[in-house]
Amino acid sequence: MKTIKLLSALAVSASLMVGCSNDDPAPQPNTGFDLEINSQNDFDPKDLKGNVNADITLKAGTEYLLTSSLRVKEGKTLTIEAGTTIKCKAGGTDVFVAVERGAKLMAAGTAAKPIVFTSDATNGRPGDWGGIVIAGKARTNKGAEAETEVAGLKYGGTQDDDNSGVLTYVKTQYTGAKINGDQEFNGVSLYSVGSKTVINNLYIANGADDGIEFFGGTVNVENIMCVNIKDDMFDFTGGYTGTMNNMFGVRENGFNDATEDPRGIEGDSNGSDPTAAPVSKPTMKNVTILNLSPITALKAGAEIRRGTVATIDNALFAAYNGASFGNLIDTDDSKGNGTLTITNSYKMGTVGSNKVGGTITGTVTEDTAAITASGNNLSMKAGRGADFTKFAWTGYALKK
């Protein structure tokens, strides 16, 4: 990539002196940084962007503004300290964090000091910025040298135990900037991410596309919460074979910003060839899909299709406040049916019936008391879907 140098402070000052009136804005300081970050001190925290060509750390207590893409290059590590907040410039599809194959993101927050990515807008909106995109070397059925839907990263390989770092106790808000109808960012996008990568305790809210999506790979994730996601809460494709444990997705009462076909879970393997190896074979345990908004129905609680062979254990599909689902489980698709084994699972409210194309093994039991109200607060029955207490660190409260 050609290095783009910024004007020096002297040049900026000189140019402003020519033909300027007293009404002209005051000159802005210029740091002199370029788009290649080659050392810890080689970037401006208030204009954070560029190619990360060295191991660098974003430190808690420093104000950061992500203004364009921040790309961690192969062999390098971006570390983000617990308690760090990164504001992201609103309104641009080029504002995102991307981690190349062979690079690492070490974002280890804590329950007391989470790491936060959010919009810099006074009133943030879904799609204000892109999101977090991580590429790895694990397998995908999209080919050994596939390219990400956004950010232009290569992904895939044969190293199923690849390690792309750590993402824990992290909040991402107002993501999902849209490039076109086929290219949209998710809150967190994981492309062929391997099993030695540690991903847990994520809070993804107000996203304009999917909450979290897996494109192949073997990474296991735990304690993921998605709130007010415009499209699918939890999505996978491309031969994903990991485990998702304790996943909680909710659309709040009054939420009306939805795509034409939003789902709680959308599971694909390969729409061009549903037999392509590896076939998506994820295991999902302790999952809650909850719709509280009567304005927008979920198309399905879970849509398992296009060659996917999935297992779900202990799920709760619930609609409350007059909300609804179109279908409970859908395994029927013109590009290939899906296969689902479901055990120890429950439903409540108007959540539709199964649409069977492929095989559905197991039943979903009615439980009219899975969710109860005390005043305006909602409570979840223990043992029904996700353990909501695991998300106490987010400060989020369930309301009617």
Side-chain angles (χ1 to χ4, degrees):
M1 179 177 180
K2 183 178 179 181
T3 301
I4 303 174
K5 295 288 185 179
L6 300 177
L7 294 174
S8 69
L10 180 61
V12 172
S13 299
S15 65
L16 289 169
M17 292 175 62
V18 179
C20 292
S21 71
N22 292 333
D23 294 329
D24 289 330
Q28 298 298 308
N30 191 309
T31 61
F33 296 115
D34 60 30
L35 297 182
E36 304 297 329
I37 300 173
N38 297 314
S39 67
Q40 176 63 40
N41 298 317
D42 197 19
F43 62 92
D44 181 359
K46 295 183 180 180
D47 188 17
L48 182 60
K49 62 186 177 186
N51 294 317
V52 179
N53 301 312
D55 296 343
I56 67 168
T57 299
L58 304 185
K59 299 180 179 181
T62 299
E63 293 184 7
Y64 293 98
L65 178 63
L66 184 69
T67 58
S68 188
S69 63
L70 186 69
R71 297 173 179 265
V72 188
K73 305 298 287 183
E74 181 179 1
K76 305 306 176 185
T77 299
L78 170 64
T79 300
I80 305 176
E81 290 185 347
T84 301
T85 294
I86 300 171
K87 292 186 177 181
C88 305
K89 189 68 176 176
T93 57
D94 60 345
V95 180
F96 56 87
V97 175
V99 181
E100 291 186 354
R101 285 187 299 190
K104 287 185 179 180
L105 173 62
M106 302 299 293
T110 67
K113 295 181 178 180
I115 293 166
V116 178
F117 290 84
T118 192
S119 171
D120 76 328
T122 302
N123 297 302
R125 300 179 54 133
D128 270 356
W129 65 289
I132 299 172
V133 183
I134 303 176
K137 300 178 181 179
R139 290 180 297 161
T140 175
N141 60 35
K142 298 297 186 180
E145 191 74 3
E147 183 170 316
T148 58
E149 180 179 308
V150 293
L153 304 181
K154 299 296 183 182
Y155 72 99
T158 59
Q159 191 174 332
D160 283 347
D161 64 348
D162 189 29
N163 185 351
S164 295
V166 174
L167 197 67
T168 183
Y169 290 105
V170 174
K171 295 183 177 184
T172 62
Q173 301 173 142
Y174 308 111
T175 59
K178 182 176 180 178
I179 298 171
N180 56 47
D182 298 318
Q183 293 177 288
E184 293 178 319
F185 286 91
N186 306 299
V188 177
S189 300
L190 305 172
Y191 287 87
S192 290
V193 174
S195 61
K196 287 188 176 178
T197 309
V198 176
I199 299 180
N200 56 54
N201 296 293
L202 305 184
Y203 173 82
I204 303 166
N206 301 303
D209 195 43
D210 300 331
I212 184 169
E213 184 165 3
F214 305 80
F215 298 82
T218 55
V219 65
N220 304 314
V221 302
E222 186 172 13
N223 300 337
I224 313 296
M225 184 173 191
C226 291
V227 178
N228 288 349
I229 301 302
K230 185 174 180 178
D231 199 31
D232 308 315
M233 297 169 180
F234 310 110
D235 197 345
F236 60 84
T237 187
Y240 173 62
T241 58
T243 295
M244 293 180 267
N245 184 29
N246 212 56
M247 316 290 281
F248 194 104
V250 58
R251 301 179 122 203
E252 294 176 321
N253 189 6
F255 178 72
N256 63 356
D257 190 10
T259 63
E260 294 180 356
D261 53 1
R263 306 168 180 93
I265 300 166
E266 180 182 274
D268 296 343
S269 189
N270 190 308
S272 299
D273 178 6
T275 66
V279 169
S280 291
K281 291 185 178 181
T283 297
M284 290 164 278
K285 302 187 297 184
N286 309 311
V287 181
T288 294
I289 305 298
L290 174 59
N291 189 11
L292 300 175
S293 176
I295 302 173
T296 54
L298 283 170
K299 182 180 179 184
E303 188 155 331
I304 306 300
R305 61 186 188 176
R306 299 178 183 175
T308 297
V309 180
T311 299
I312 297 178
D313 181 58
N314 186 28
L316 171 63
F317 300 99
Y320 197 87
N321 285 338
S324 64
F325 295 11
N327 296 113
L328 179 60
I329 297 167
D330 183 355
T331 59
D332 182 51
D333 191 86
S334 61
K335 295 183 179 180
N337 297 329
T339 301
L340 175 66
T341 299
I342 187 164
T343 55
N344 305 312
S345 293
Y346 306 89
K347 62 183 178 179
M348 176 182 176
T350 306
V351 293
S353 302
N354 293 340
K355 183 179 179 182
V356 182
T359 302
I360 301 176
T361 302
T363 59
V364 180
T365 302
E366 183 84 26
D367 186 347
T368 59
I371 301 172
T372 55
S374 176
N376 195 43
N377 297 314
L378 295 178
S379 298
M380 315 296 297
K381 182 187 288 187
R384 300 292 189 262
D387 180 356
F388 187 72
T389 66
K390 298 293 186 181
F391 304 104
W393 67 275
T394 67
Y396 183 84
L398 276 176
K399 303 289 185 182
K400 288 202 304 187

